[in-house]
Amino acid sequence: MLEIKNLHARIGEKEILRGVNLTVPDGEIHAIMGPNGAGKSTLSYVLSGRDGYEVTEGEVIYNGQNILDLPPEDRAAAGIFLAFQYPVELPGVGNANFLRTALNAVRRKRGQEELDAVAFLKLARAAVKSLHMKEDFLKRNVNVGFSGGEKKRNEMLQMALLKPGLAILDETDSGLDIDALKIVAEGVNALRAPDFSALVITHYQRLLDHIVPDVVHVLAAGRIVRSGPKELALELEARGYAGLEAA
Amino acid sequence: MTALPTKKLEAWRYTDLRPLSGISFVAPPVGAAPALPDLGLPRLVFLNGVFNAALSSPFAFARGFAPVAEDSALPLAQINAEQAHDGATLHVPAGVDAGTVLLISHATGDVPFAFHLRHRITLGEGARLTVLEIAKGEGIYWHNPVTDITLAANAALTHIRVQEESRAAYSLATIRASVAASASYEHFTATIGGQLSRTEIHAALTGPGALAHLNAAQLLNGTQHGDFTTVVAHKAPGCASRQTVKSVLADTARGVFQGRIEVARGAQQTDGFQLSQALLLSPGAEMDTKPELEIFADDVKCSHGATVGALDEEQLFYLRSRGIPEAQARAMLIRAFLEAALEPVTQKEARTLLEAAINNWWVQP
């Protein structure tokens, strides 16, 4: 379970998150919607431990542990996975090597046995196939020369292999065509389980047609200003975000 | 002894040999037998600059050493000529593939000493050879080797050097290669050791279709100074040359790349390219890059590029967010940075040796 309590965070002098309260119980998928500049990406970076964001107040408890003092790699091992809005290109790093290094680092910290090259490749090939990706995906450099859709699929491949307990999707739908959107949705839906939860951060409602959330939250000006059932997303789509900040 | 070059010479602008002139080097003591890597390859071992038959293994294409006679405009080569009395002489006859040979130099002594090896590599028409050179040592010494290479038409020499000299050593290597028509000289140097080091290569492409790749990776930290200087002379039409130099510099280390491409009148359809990229891991590190193109033909393709940068914070975060610990993530990105220079090194043993040397570099203090 993820519990965010009165979370304040800033970049430099600029306060972006101004007291976020949010609880995501195990097994649930929550969507966070909101206008540009509301703090959606900041929230995902603060949760995953990126440098440059200063938490001034509040706490984030994941499965009983305050994660704010943990470096990003330990949060990943604890089960938190951030699907990037703009996945980073890594020239000179082969995808298979990257995936295996990540998987084994996480397995090591989780007290599981590391996978040898053969066992890893078997697992990775199966995951590639189930995401309808080409076999050569594993041989290419990480995200280098990938189309927008391929990059997002690669995020889903990493997620499938790392098996997180909490997935944070940071506007993963931005710039995706409908087929790629479905792949992302399938990636998340395939992980649905009583011990898996997800925070789906999105500007638009359309991703939520494919990943149906249990709860929709509206983030505006650094606070959660409304929460409701999945129909809230439709209402936002129809009426826009105007007026919500005052709510 | 011929005087050492000074910074007044354009070719020595970035590398100051004054620390060297302040040391009185003695003749090398008798070398102690070190632990040598067993790569299952024929090898020629030099201890403190003297051939050691007991540690070496037979190589059918090695010959005896002949005295040096030369009048060189290169001060270090001239000093070498005055002092050298040993070195490897390899001769591969036309049409023969001689496989791979290891050339090992190991140096160790209690007082500063100098040694000047003179290697000669000659390949007949269509002959092939891979020379894998390893230089290691302990203590203060000056290693001043000269390697003269002559490649006949269609010959192919792959020359890979792993410079892991003592951290207190001065290592100044001069390599001169003459490459005939359709022959190729594939060179790679990994500069890891040495307090002050330089690899200076002069490659002359003398026949149509000749090729020279002069690549390097410099991994330097502390107060190390590493210099990779190349001069490629395109003397015939249709020749190609490439230099890819990658420098990873930590602490207050300094890297230098000077790359000169000379295209003679009549050397049309020359294809020359050089790239110098440096990764500075700390604010005190420095990279000096000096490309020089001297072109006297009108139908040529010559270009150069240089970049200097730090590790990308976004890439680092991406790796860490996938569970990869920070130190390992940094190592992965540094290794990735080197990839383009290492890529042409395909020989199995050389690759293994290089990967090991690079991996060891990360764990150095």
Side-chain angles (χ1 to χ4, degrees):
Chain A
M1 184 162 76
L2 174 73
E3 297 164 273
I4 302 173
K5 298 176 184 170
N6 190 32
L7 184 65
H8 290 252
R10 62 184 190 186
I11 307 171
E13 290 301 303
K14 196 175 174 203
E15 188 168 46
I16 311 279
L17 300 182
R18 305 172 180 201
V20 175
N21 287 290
L22 183 67
T23 299
V24 184
D26 285 348
E28 293 192 4
I29 290 180
H30 288 208
I32 295 187
M33 301 182 72
N36 287 328
K40 300 193 298 291
S41 283
T42 297
L43 179 62
S44 65
Y45 284 141
V46 169
L47 293 178
S48 52
R50 187 179 179 139
D51 281 344
Y53 298 86
E54 189 193 351
V55 173
T56 52
E57 227 184 305
E59 54 186 5
V60 177
I61 312 286
Y62 179 62
N63 289 344
Q65 185 184 21
N66 187 351
I67 60 164
L68 289 178
D69 294 332
L70 298 178
E73 52 268 35
D74 289 356
R75 298 187 199 197
I80 295 174
F81 180 89
L82 170 66
F84 282 58
Q85 184 177 0
Y86 303 108
V88 180
E89 297 187 4
L90 302 175
V93 180
N95 216 10
N97 176 36
F98 164 63
L99 293 167
R100 187 172 160 224
T101 306
L103 183 57
N104 278 339
V106 162
R107 289 180 68 95
R108 207 159 49 229
K109 279 202 183 126
R110 291 177 185 166
Q112 297 164 324
E113 214 178 306
E114 291 185 35
L115 296 181
D116 63 28
V118 176
F120 166 76
L121 268 183
K122 204 175 152 195
L123 195 69
R125 285 202 182 117
V128 162
K129 206 173 167 194
S130 72
L131 285 166
H132 312 288
M133 290 153 70
K134 286 183 206 134
E135 178 93 349
D136 77 344
F137 234 73
L138 293 169
K139 290 180 187 155
R140 292 162 71 181
N141 283 349
V142 180
N143 295 329
V144 178
F146 285 28
S147 70
E150 284 178 325
K151 284 181 180 173
K152 300 296 166 75
R153 280 178 209 220
N154 206 23
E155 296 291 285
M156 292 304 102
L157 174 62
Q158 293 163 40
M159 188 171 79
L161 290 171
L162 294 177
K163 293 202 183 345
L166 171 69
I168 304 163
L169 278 70
D170 182 10
E171 307 214 17
T172 299
D173 50 339
S174 66
L176 290 194
D177 61 28
I178 191 69
D179 289 336
L181 204 68
K182 282 182 180 165
I183 295 287
V184 169
E186 276 170 31
V188 175
N189 291 332
L191 289 178
R192 274 194 193 252
D195 57 355
F196 172 79
S197 55
L199 259 187
V200 180
I201 296 173
T202 180
H203 191 75
Y204 302 105
Q205 189 268 339
R206 59 176 195 156
L207 179 62
L208 304 180
D209 288 341
H210 304 281
I211 306 174
V212 179
D214 296 289
V215 182
V216 174
H217 307 274
V218 179
L219 184 72
R223 282 194 194 91
I224 301 290
V225 293
R226 262 186 88 178
S227 300
K230 62 176 189 284
E231 289 75 19
L232 178 56
L234 295 168
E235 188 187 325
L236 290 167
E237 186 83 350
R239 295 196 195 163
Y241 295 107
L244 279 169
E245 277 152 66
Chain B
M1 187 176 94
T2 300
L4 286 167
T6 69
K7 290 184 77 174
K8 284 181 193 151
L9 291 170
E10 183 58 29
W12 289 89
R13 207 167 129 190
Y14 299 107
T15 295
D16 188 352
L17 294 184
R18 272 178 300 179
L20 195 67
S21 54
I23 301 170
S24 51
F25 292 99
V26 302
V30 174
L36 294 173
D38 183 18
L39 298 174
L41 295 169
R43 68 189 190 193
L44 306 172
V45 181
F46 294 83
L47 298 185
N48 291 359
V50 178
F51 180 67
N52 187 299
L55 290 173
S56 303
S57 57
F59 182 58
F61 307 97
R63 296 191 173 173
F65 182 78
V68 182
E70 83 163 54
D71 185 11
S72 175
L74 302 172
L76 291 177
Q78 192 56 38
I79 293 169
N80 174 285
E82 290 159 14
Q83 310 273 336
H85 37 73
D86 212 339
T89 303
L90 307 176
H91 181 86
V92 183
V96 175
D97 184 344
T100 302
V101 64
L102 272 174
L103 203 56
I104 298 174
S105 164
H106 193 274
T108 174
D110 297 327
V111 290
F113 64 97
F115 59 105
H116 309 261
L117 286 164
R118 172 69 61 136
H119 303 303
R120 297 171 174 115
I121 303 169
T122 310
L123 268 57
E125 246 184 75
R128 304 179 77 84
L129 175 68
T130 296
V131 175
L132 180 46
E133 231 185 300
I134 305 168
K136 288 182 185 247
E138 290 123 42
I140 303 173
Y141 56 86
W142 173 22
H143 186 188
N144 185 45
V146 171
T147 305
D148 282 322
I149 295 166
T150 308
L151 306 180
N154 291 307
L157 174 67
T158 300
H159 186 192
I160 295 150
R161 300 170 66 240
V162 185
Q163 191 269 82
E164 284 187 288
E165 305 268 24
S166 155
R167 297 284 298 221
Y170 300 88
S171 172
L172 304 170
T174 306
I175 295 158
R176 293 178 294 202
S178 171
V179 187
S182 300
S184 73
Y185 178 50
E186 181 83 49
H187 177 105
F188 179 86
T189 288
T191 302
I192 295 167
Q195 171 58 35
L196 189 161
S197 70
R198 166 150 153 152
T199 296
E200 179 175 331
I201 306 175
H202 296 260
L205 305 176
T206 61
L211 183 111
H213 287 178
L214 312 176
N215 298 332
Q218 311 194 85
L219 305 170
L220 306 170
N221 60 20
T223 57
Q224 282 181 292
H225 176 108
D227 176 338
F228 191 69
T229 290
T230 62
V231 180
V232 180
H234 285 259
K235 297 186 168 178
C239 295
S241 64
R242 293 276 178 282
Q243 289 102 69
T244 302
V245 179
K246 298 267 188 170
S247 305
V248 181
L249 307 167
D251 307 319
T252 58
R254 188 170 173 206
V256 176
F257 170 56
Q258 303 184 102
R260 188 175 163 85
I261 301 175
E262 301 169 354
V263 180
R265 196 162 287 132
Q268 304 293 6
Q269 282 98 46
T270 283
D271 177 5
F273 176 72
Q274 53 182 229
L275 177 67
S276 165
Q277 293 186 308
L279 190 55
L280 305 185
L281 298 180
S282 42
E286 181 182 328
M287 180 73 200
D288 296 297
T289 299
K290 187 179 72 178
E292 284 179 284
L293 305 180
E294 196 183 271
I295 301 171
F296 290 106
D298 52 16
D299 178 18
V300 302
K301 203 168 73 184
C302 272
S303 61
H304 60 86
T307 62
V308 174
L311 277 182
D312 187 304
E313 288 299 325
E314 212 170 337
Q315 293 181 336
L316 205 53
F317 174 63
Y318 192 60
L319 291 169
R320 295 178 71 192
S321 77
R322 298 309 183 236
I324 300 170
E326 186 177 1
Q328 197 180 357
R330 283 180 187 278
M332 277 177 85
L333 292 178
I334 293 169
R335 179 64 188 74
F337 169 78
L338 295 172
E339 182 58 31
L342 286 171
E343 213 173 31
V345 182
T346 51
Q347 206 271 348
K348 195 169 116 265
E349 285 84 3
R351 195 70 197 213
T352 307
L353 212 63
L354 279 171
E355 296 288 354
I358 290 165
N359 281 333
N360 281 338
W361 188 78
W362 316 134
V363 298
Q364 277 179 19

